[in-house]
Amino acid sequence: MPGERVLLLGSSGSGKSTLVAAICGLVPHSSYARIGGSLALFGMNTLQYQPSQLSRRAGVVFQDPDSQLTMLTVEDEVAFGLENLAVEPQQMEQRIQEALSAVGLLNERGTRVDRLSGGMKQRLVIGAILAMQPDMLVLDEPTSNLDPEGAREVALLLRQLTLSHPQTTILLVEHRLDALVALVSRVLVLDRNGALAVDAATDDAFGPLAEALDQLDVWLPTSTLALRYLRLNAVEAPPSLWSPEHLRALAARNAEAARLLQLWGAPQRSDSTAAPARGSGAPAVTLEDVGFAYQAGRPVLNGVNLQLQRGEMCALVGGNGSGKSTLAALAAGLMRPDRGRVLIEGIDSRRIGAAQIAARVGFVFQNPEHQFVTDRVFDEVAFTLRRTSLDEAEQKQRVERTLQALRLDGLADRNPFELSHGQKRRLSVASMLVAEKDVLIFDEPTFGQDPRALDELLQMVQGLQQRSVAVMIVTHDMELVWRHADRVALLLNGRIARCDSPERLFCDHELLSSAGLELPARLELLRELQLLPAAVRRHEEVR
């Protein structure tokens, strides 16, 4: 319906992105597909119209911004779509300025697109679509590559759009729900077979139907998760009362509910602190006064000092474009610093051959397709093992065990490039986990994962920590940082501004604000309910 705001949910591989591609005509016009039934966009049968024709009615923002960017500069990218619509030059200038201002890129209009961070690229795509003023806006996980501040900007942008363009229909695929759930009035959920399992009003979906959604392995708002935890622990509370306001009233009159909510919000870290090798001997990776700049560019890193200990999970956080991926690549030995040095197990990485570094350090790229080298899922995971002395039977056993652990065993014969984005991400993780390296560095590994897949991944990582493997996770997921990281390194202005425990870091609100970060959703909810865990309250009192 015109003006309707719909949220589309589903587990990884359920077909959400395929449905989005079908709406804009890429399926089947640009991708092979077997079609059954019909799909109409504003009365236009998508089988009978080309994507170029459908794009005048529906603008689509995909998960991977690089798949949509075609021009050299930011301004040219926004102008490209307008030129194809034959917009008058004077009107085009106004639209470009309004769109770039809306997505926070007005000061970057002359910047080369390839110099933007992943999050900035996604904001550019959204701006280019908004400039074309379509009747329907389809967003496939638009905040997935954004830091918390960028995600808030997108949420605010969408809220403003619902007010300024009330007739614009919005279909949103998203898993960061807290800031966006108030925008939608209807929720659709696909099951693992791609069939429509739930079609309900928002209040019903996240209230009485929350258990059904949980069984379908989709993300839920934080307040719904909190209420479900209380109900699972025998606290009487109607499932329809899932808003923070209702939770506050419940906790005020029920001391047991308040106690359980604090327990629910506590970290769930590994027992890796008890690992015998942790903290003994040389750190797994050490960065000493590291500086780095891309060719003819300003310095990205300037005087970075950081140690990665055996058996710990260190989270690396910071805003979009702060240099997190660059720092991670340097720590993995994939690039050389311009200044300072990177030590791997106490040895300068410049004195270690690439093959020796690769045998010790595994790196999972932010874009999983950048590391695929075969045309079969099984072979992709086995690739690293085939360079070792393991016999074929042991290789096969390891690969099958890893695929099963990450729910990829049913896809062993598929082409990696045909998988959903979440499945591709799990495959890239599997290709590193199978080799049992001493250090594993993950660049945004949680993007595109459903709750079950994320839990399974984190269980595997905790198992690695127990074996004294050093783990670094580059992430925008503050919930993961709070619940699972032993230490957090915050990168700001090219330096490590603070490296501390999550409890201490999340009490430094001024620093978080400067870095464009925010409290984890659980802590934010508990703060609103005045039920912050004792450890956090203690550190805040000290400050």
Side-chain angles (χ1 to χ4, degrees), residues 470-484:
V471 178
M472 174 187 281
I473 293 184
V474 179
T475 185
H476 287 142
D477 188 344
M478 298 298 105
E479 188 80 0
L480 180 151
V481 172
W482 166 246
R483 304 197 75 198
H484 298 281

Side-chain angles (χ1 to χ4, degrees), residues 99-130:
L100 291 178
S101 178
V103 297
L105 292 175
L106 189 58
N107 292 332
E108 305 289 344
R109 62 186 298 166
T111 302
R112 285 173 56 102
V113 171
D114 61 0
R115 299 291 171 85
L116 300 179
S117 70
M120 295 168 76
K121 287 179 180 178
Q122 188 66 295
R123 284 153 54 195
L124 173 58
V125 171
I126 294 173
I129 296 296
L130 290 176

Side-chain angles (χ1 to χ4, degrees), residues 261-276:
L261 283 170
Q262 287 185 313
L263 183 62
W264 166 79
Q268 291 185 341
R269 291 173 198 143
S270 164
D271 292 331
S272 61
T273 52

